[in-house]
Amino acid sequence: MAMKLPSRPVPLDGEPLGRGARKQLTRERLLDAALTLMSRGHSFPSLSLRELTREAGVVPTAFYRHFRDMDELGLALVEECGLTLRRLLREARKGGVPTHDIIRHSVAIYLQYVRAHPRQFRAATSERSGGSPAMRQAIRTEVGHFVREMAQDLRQLGFRPDLPSETLEMICSLVVNTMLNAASDILDLPPEQPQLARELEANFVGQLRLIFLGAEQWRAEPGAP
Amino acid sequence: MAMKLPSRPVPLDGEPLGRGARKQLTRERLLDAALTLMSRGHSFPSLSLRELTREAGVVPTAFYRHFRDMDELGLALVEECGLTLRRLLREARKGGVPTHDIIRHSVAIYLQYVRAHPRQFRAATSERSGGSPAMRQAIRTEVGHFVREMAQDLRQLGFRPDLPSETLEMICSLVVNTMLNAASDILDLPPEQPQLARELEANFVGQLRLIFLGAEQWRAEPGAP
DNA sequence: GTTTTCAGTGAACACTTGTTGACATTGGAT
DNA sequence: ATCCAATGTCAACAAGTGTTCACTGAAAAC
């Protein structure tokens, strides 16, 4: 008699994982597969469920044990990328702020971080204006959190304590937009063109300098002289 | 005997159009259909050829008389949107520059223009980082043209004649990124929420003010004191 | 030790997709 | 008036899609 092949939930793992842990593992595999496929040029809305599960090494129907549909996976993905972004900010906070040439230094750190997490950043920048309305909204919210956190950090660092939070956030939102644009540009660069990369980096540094130059000059109350 | 239905290239048009004109017309219909579908939430890479031709009111195979594949249509679309952008700049140039409250005025004009061409702007901002690599590159080039043109305009207006073109373009690229982000934000707003729209507009104005404040303070040679 | 829960499997469905080839119709050059 | 090229239509294809259903096997609950 022909026996059915046994289900192999974790084919390559010797560790005796618990059931819940196993579930979370394949869930992460699915998210990971999405990031990988996106980093190969696919844009999220053009990903098919089957393609995704194929890449994840699971059968199509297994998908439904984790997400209702692709939109739900998209939202989870956004959350994950948001987490990556926050980690960046947290690490930057820990590292302390160098007193000299802050911007150039921060840019170097940031770009290094971007290159270390290309898939997350490509996904984030790519779906920021590309995905479904729900996904765009989610990303917008996530970016909003990031902006607020950054503004708070600036305040805590004693930067322009006279400015209201609104204004600080307006400035930070400009900074974040510039950062994300730069990330997108960097990741689209031909693989090994250090000259272009340096130009782009210089441009990026210049733009941030410009912004902070403006921020230092900003009058506290633009309405009244 | 069953006669084939006659082909009706222009079902609703009484005008006896020339042949070339007819071709261009359905070509425009295809491009238009793409814009329409995109403005309904679809992102370009997830558009199917059949969906497109259905919306355009043509049979799927007719597509190939105009474009080799969807990528080619995408490039044509980028070109069209680029044209729209340039027209904006040209009109702005014609209109002259108000001496007072330039930025607020320009922003109002710009947002009005964005709202008048929502589909083009949604497509442009959406595919800027979302589409195929070729499409992204095309958009990048188009935006680059726009930036250079804007920098030239600024120079001709006598703005910071001491700065090298490189620096001017760096500034303009920051401005353009901010403009496109603002467009994307505006178009994603819930249909009738004038309060949010005004907040967003104020934010936008603030960011541009900040940029130009920084630009006025920018030292001509950041390397040497 | 028995039972229950549940992540994962495989086959099947109704459908849409991109692309091909063989016609039709017609504007424009001859 | 006649032919040609080009624009468009129809029918058909293989392949891929999302989703369903009944089933399995082992971890967890009893």
Side-chain angles (χ1 to χ4, degrees):
Chain A
M1 59 168 94
M3 285 191 59
K4 264 196 168 180
L5 286 178
S7 38
R8 300 153 293 152
V10 179
L12 303 173
D13 202 5
E15 208 73 13
L17 273 78
R19 193 180 52 187
R22 187 117 66 186
K23 171 162 185 175
Q24 194 175 345
L25 192 145
T26 61
R27 185 190 147 100
E28 276 171 25
R29 269 203 211 168
L30 285 170
L31 291 171
D32 214 60
L35 284 179
T36 299
L37 288 176
M38 278 199 252
S39 79
R40 290 209 197 112
H42 277 83
S43 81
F44 182 80
S46 77
L47 279 186
S48 81
L49 185 147
R50 290 182 111 105
E51 205 177 358
L52 186 77
T53 54
R54 216 177 297 138
E55 174 76 22
V58 208
V59 96
T61 47
F63 177 90
Y64 296 102
R65 303 289 182 198
H66 301 271
F67 306 98
R68 183 179 303 279
D69 51 24
M70 287 293 275
D71 284 339
E72 198 171 304
L73 180 139
L75 296 187
L77 207 57
V78 169
E79 204 171 344
E80 197 195 277
C81 291
L83 252 158
T84 301
L85 265 190
R86 311 277 197 91
R87 226 181 318 159
L88 160 64
L89 213 48
R90 194 152 12 103
E91 288 181 14
R93 210 162 354 196
K94 248 187 195 164
V97 183
T99 56
H100 184 57
D101 222 356
I102 316 177
I103 291 183
R104 163 158 263 130
H105 185 252
S106 303
V107 162
I109 298 275
Y110 172 64
L111 290 185
Q112 184 182 331
Y113 193 79
V114 168
R115 279 190 254 254
H117 308 262
R119 302 179 317 163
Q120 280 86 345
F121 276 90
R122 182 173 285 302
T125 58
S126 160
E127 302 312 313
R128 186 150 80 110
S129 339
S132 69
M135 202 156 164
R136 272 204 305 266
Q137 200 49 46
I139 293 192
R140 220 176 281 277
T141 306
E142 208 73 37
V143 170
H145 287 161
F146 188 79
V147 165
R148 296 196 66 174
E149 212 163 319
M150 192 183 206
Q152 215 169 319
D153 278 17
L154 273 190
R155 164 145 289 154
Q156 212 143 5
L157 250 62
F159 178 81
R160 297 289 319 248
D162 54 322
L163 293 184
S165 291
E166 268 189 5
T167 308
L168 266 185
E169 282 169 22
M170 178 270 277
I171 296 172
C172 286
S173 126
L174 181 54
V175 170
V176 170
N177 280 337
T178 306
M179 281 169 57
L180 290 178
N181 279 326
S184 167
D185 288 351
I186 286 280
L187 292 177
D188 267 356
L189 238 46
E192 285 306 330
Q193 278 269 38
Q195 183 51 35
L196 283 183
R198 255 170 304 181
E199 278 180 31
L200 223 146
E201 186 167 339
N203 218 53
F204 184 22
V205 170
Q207 294 185 343
L208 287 184
R209 278 219 174 99
L210 197 77
I211 292 175
F212 279 100
L213 207 54
E216 284 166 17
Q217 297 286 333
W218 186 270
R219 292 177 307 158
E221 304 168 41
Chain B
M1 60 169 96
M3 282 191 61
K4 265 195 168 180
L5 286 178
S7 37
R8 300 153 294 153
V10 179
L12 303 173
D13 202 3
E15 208 74 11
L17 274 77
R19 189 184 52 188
R22 186 116 67 186
K23 170 160 186 175
Q24 195 175 345
L25 192 145
T26 62
R27 184 189 148 101
E28 276 171 24
R29 270 203 208 169
L30 285 170
L31 291 171
D32 215 59
L35 284 179
T36 298
L37 287 176
M38 278 198 254
S39 78
R40 289 208 199 113
H42 277 84
S43 80
F44 182 79
S46 78
L47 279 186
S48 80
L49 186 147
R50 289 182 110 104
E51 205 176 358
L52 188 78
T53 54
R54 216 178 298 138
E55 174 76 22
V58 207
V59 97
T61 48
F63 177 90
Y64 296 102
R65 303 291 183 198
H66 301 270
F67 306 98
R68 183 178 303 278
D69 50 24
M70 287 293 275
D71 285 338
E72 198 171 303
L73 180 139
L75 295 187
L77 208 57
V78 170
E79 205 171 345
E80 196 195 278
C81 291
L83 251 158
T84 302
L85 266 190
R86 312 276 197 91
R87 225 181 319 160
L88 161 63
L89 214 48
R90 192 150 15 101
E91 287 180 16
R93 209 163 354 197
K94 247 187 196 162
V97 182
T99 56
H100 185 56
D101 221 356
I102 316 178
I103 291 183
R104 165 157 261 131
H105 185 252
S106 303
V107 162
I109 299 275
Y110 172 65
L111 289 186
Q112 185 182 332
Y113 193 79
V114 168
R115 279 190 255 255
H117 306 263
R119 303 179 318 162
Q120 280 86 345
F121 276 90
R122 183 174 282 303
T125 59
S126 160
E127 302 312 312
R128 187 149 80 109
S129 341
S132 69
M135 203 157 162
R136 273 205 304 266
Q137 199 49 47
I139 293 191
R140 222 174 279 278
T141 307
E142 207 74 36
V143 170
H145 287 162
F146 187 79
V147 165
R148 296 196 66 175
E149 211 164 320
M150 191 183 207
Q152 214 170 321
D153 277 17
L154 273 190
R155 165 144 288 152
Q156 212 143 4
L157 250 62
F159 178 81
R160 296 291 318 248
D162 53 322
L163 292 184
S165 290
E166 267 189 5
T167 308
L168 266 185
E169 282 169 23
M170 177 269 277
I171 297 172
C172 286
S173 125
L174 181 54
V175 170
V176 170
N177 280 337
T178 306
M179 283 169 57
L180 290 179
N181 278 326
S184 167
D185 289 351
I186 285 280
L187 291 177
D188 266 358
L189 237 45
E192 284 308 328
Q193 278 270 37
Q195 183 51 33
L196 283 182
R198 254 171 304 179
E199 279 180 31
L200 224 146
E201 186 167 339
N203 219 51
F204 185 22
V205 170
Q207 295 185 343
L208 287 184
R209 279 221 174 98
L210 197 77
I211 293 175
F212 279 102
L213 207 54
E216 283 166 18
Q217 297 285 335
W218 186 270
R219 292 177 306 159
E221 304 168 42

